[in-house]
Amino acid sequence: MLERQLIKKVLDKALTTNADFAEVFIEDKFQTDASLLSGKVEKVNNSKVFGIGIRVARGYNSVYGYTNSPKEEDLIKLANDLAQSFAGEPQGIKFELEEMKVGNLHPVKILPSEVSIDEKVDLLRRADVAARAYNKEINQVSVRYTDYVQNVWIANSEGTYVKDTRVRTRLSIGSIAANEETKQTGFNGPGGQHGFEFYSEIINVEEVAQEASRIAVEMLHADECPSGKMPVVIDNGFGGVIFHEACGHSLEATSVAKGASVFTGKKGELIANPLVTAIDDGTIPNAWGSATYDDEGNLQIRRVLIKDGILTSYMIDKLNAIRMNDKPTNSGRRESYRYAPTSRMTNTYIDNGDSTFEEIIKATKFGLYAKKMGGGSVNPATGDFNFAVSEGYMIRDGKIAEAVKGATLVGTGAEALLRVDMVGNNLLTAQGMCGSASGSIPTDVGQPTIRVSEITVGGRGGSI
Amino acid sequence: MNFDKLFKAAALKGIEDIQVYYSEDNQFDIEVFKGELEKYTIADTQRLSVKGIYDSKMGTVTTEVITDDIIDFVIDSIIASAKTIDSEDEVFIYEGDKEYKEVKGLFNESIYKVEAKEKIATVIDLEKKVMAIDKRIRMVQAFYGEGSNSVLIKNSKGLNLEKKVNDALVGVYVIASDGKDQRTAFEYIRSNDYSDFDFEKIAKMGAKKAVALLGATACKSGEYEILLTKEASASLLSPHVSMFSAESVQKDVSLLKGKIGEAIGSEKVTIIDDPFMKKSTRSGAFDDEGVATSFKELVKDGVLTGFMHNLKTAKKDNVKSTGNGFMGRGISPTNLYIKPGTLTYDDAVKSMKKGIVIVELAGTHSGTDPISGNFSLQASGFLVENGKIVRPVALITVAGNYLDLLKDVTDVCDDLKFDFGYIGSPSVLVKSLMVSGL
């Protein structure tokens, strides 16, 4: 690892022109990936990632460079090249690097790097057997396993010097059910900031695998979803992807600071139905999107984004805070040393309300019950969103009726938030990978079951 | 790392054959916002991927620490990985082809002849140009990025291949607003020849696209004649490219399985994979497995002629690899596109009675299912009546099946364009699609 003196030298070099901030991010990561298809282990790969990112800024303008080389001459040259963007007299910034030490808030029991490949591969086989055994209509199962230990060191010209270790693991199962006419897929992919104990203490591998098969089989026998505007009940867990995509991204400083978000300048205003309280919490112990520090070296915190429908906080990184004249919320995250950090979500969810699941279904005369959501995307400037429903049912006369496939939910985030008219009491989170300006990072989405009074539903089953 | 030393050490530990894939990348990116340089990134990285055969199984490892100190780690990882594989597919390290085509125009010095300062000034000016075109343009993000990539493939069977490619990208992301409605557009040019960058054209097109969509609302649900613009068509083709992969076919997740020789699209549809296209970083004489690449018409006049192969799938089908084996992407195209026709875009619009020009499809990664071909996607564009654009439309979904769509192609335009992943298409006229709106 880089000596503290060398890091200091690099930071000092970066400040030899008119810049007022410099940061070094060092990453040393060891990852194992394994995959199985059609009952056979196909690929097992170890990878070693090592690199250094240097950021130099004046005000909110910054430049970034990265390299794999830990050699002093290479790092000093990179710092010097970056510094040339801020021509002028040095600002004379003096600092010492004092290491801040807090205990790791997400301790793990069994480091995956100390578990043999055989044991990891055994999980693939167990998941495969269970997913197949679910039903004879399952004709294909693929399983992926990932774990990593990511060590990062973050130091900056404000004297910040921290080390953080992020240990994550995830098992994803994709099942395909097929009959003469069609094929349908089901997916389940739980993960967490856990060591290998995740598979013995937190999840049941067989149950998790069978859930993927259950969705596939259910959808194999589903009708095409009808299209039109209707009330939609979105279930807990991965249903929270709707909030993540349609609102979460628009509350990130990346789009707010430039006025590119529909929620710019709306702090203190009612932007959602008063039933809605939404949280982004990077401190949840061992959660997928948690960390002890953010990727700018600040302690992770819990942010109340929306309180009773009122916008209370954005998610803000260091440089966007300057641009917005607001305080950072320690939201700077990045995939790796290859990305400069920017404001990102951690574990983001709609908080519990009072209704039970049964009450919500019963109160819905006609509509769509989106039990499992697939992915989606949003245009942060317009708030236009779209989501695929991976497991859906029609609701008729307050009861869950026939299964439907191929549904897409389309709308705008701002409108949907105001139209949330029932919020359940069964909050659940689920794991996802979120791709944005600073790369692909682990985030939790979550919510209790909610009802949106009207969303445009796209499908191939004719108009309602 | 001394690769010969690695090969020797590997042989001593029982690795039968071994291959390294060593890649060096240089990247330079700038982004401008409100007249200021907002993003400036320089990078210089290396990555080494090694595969080796141990006990008839293929083990792999990847590392960014590339020194002689980790030779043991590389070898041990390959052996541990190979030991757990139980796929019985025959594996081998490729000794190479007799001949590799000389592909020219993949590395161009012209982008380095312009200094960074001038590039920054040009991008700042590009932002200004867009802002000046229409007062409804609220915001512009202008960017420039360039990258080069050199690859070395070397193995214990004597293969030794090198290539070097580069390219640059200039573009604008535009937000327009009329006070009530806000719309966005994206316009760019990619090339490795600096003289190809027509900044005026990018500015004009970016501004025009964003403003044209202002005031868009949903239209009535129903069947409409559809014109997919070149960008929309490429974005819809992209998630369906896996259908043409022999791996999908062998795993029985391709709708095209068993259809070689059959018409899978209208006779207007020809789909090409061209590894020799100039100015593309995806081009080259060999793929990441060291196999010579080849020009292919995967679909010719609507008829499926074959699939893309890598070494593994080719062996299984007892054919020759088509040179589509790529690192991290499995089987992947080089530059894949729908062959352009002769119809102009304007004439295509004029030919429509009651239809929709779709300029953008959102969420193509989640709203499509390449296994069934079914898609249901959010779209925006323009309503056309009697050959004339009547008004912009948005917040509609279009649904259909990609193979049905290929069969329903009535004509293709002459305006081929490639997306970021080197998937290309001209604008495409389609008989009809189901639209869900009001």
Side-chain angles (χ1 to χ4, degrees), chain A residues 41 64 68 125 140 183 259, chain B residues 40 46 86 138 251-252:
Chain A
V41 177
Y64 191 73
N68 303 117
R125 299 192 209 279
Q140 182 94 248
K183 278 188 179 134
Chain B
Y40 175 100
Q46 298 92 37
D86 42 17
R138 251 195 67 208
K251 288 176 180 170
D252 198 15

Side-chain angles (χ1 to χ4, degrees), chain A residues 227-230 246 262 377-387 408-416 419 454-459, chain B residues 180-184 213-222 224 356-363 376-383 391-399 434-438:
Chain A
S227 62
K229 286 188 177 180
M230 61 185 92
V262 288
S377 69
V378 68
N379 177 334
T382 60
D384 290 356
F385 68 72
N386 64 88
F387 300 96
T408 308
L409 307 184
V410 176
T412 66
E415 261 180 32
R419 285 187 178 145
E454 187 182 270
I455 297 187
T456 300
V457 175
Chain B
K180 283 175 281 180
D181 189 29
Q182 186 152 297
R183 292 290 150 193
T184 60
L213 281 169
L214 283 172
T217 51
C219 59
K220 282 211 172 99
S221 299
Y224 286 84
I356 297 174
V357 179
I358 291 175
V359 300
E360 195 187 348
L361 291 165
S376 173
L377 295 163
Q378 185 186 344
S380 52
F382 304 97
L383 190 68
R391 67 174 177 90
V393 289
L395 286 184
I396 54 169
T397 58
V398 289
M434 190 65 207
V435 172
S436 167
L438 290 175

Side-chain angles (χ1 to χ4, degrees), chain B residues 228 233 236-238 240-241 243-244 255 264 271 338 372-375 400-407:
Chain B
L228 292 169
S233 176
L236 189 56
L237 169 61
S238 181
H240 294 103
V241 167
M243 287 186 186
F244 296 98
L255 281 176
I264 61 149
I271 299 178
I338 297 175
S372 66
N374 292 337
F375 62 84
N401 180 285
Y402 196 66
L403 285 192
D404 293 344
L405 181 142
L406 287 182
K407 283 188 177 135

Side-chain angles (χ1 to χ4, degrees), chain B residues 96-115:
Chain B
D97 283 273
K98 280 201 195 87
E99 255 183 272
Y100 292 93
K101 193 180 161 94
E102 192 187 345
V103 190
K104 285 185 182 161
L106 301 187
F107 190 86
N108 190 323
E109 292 284 349
S110 70
I111 56 178
Y112 307 118
K113 296 216 166 105
V114 180
E115 280 196 42

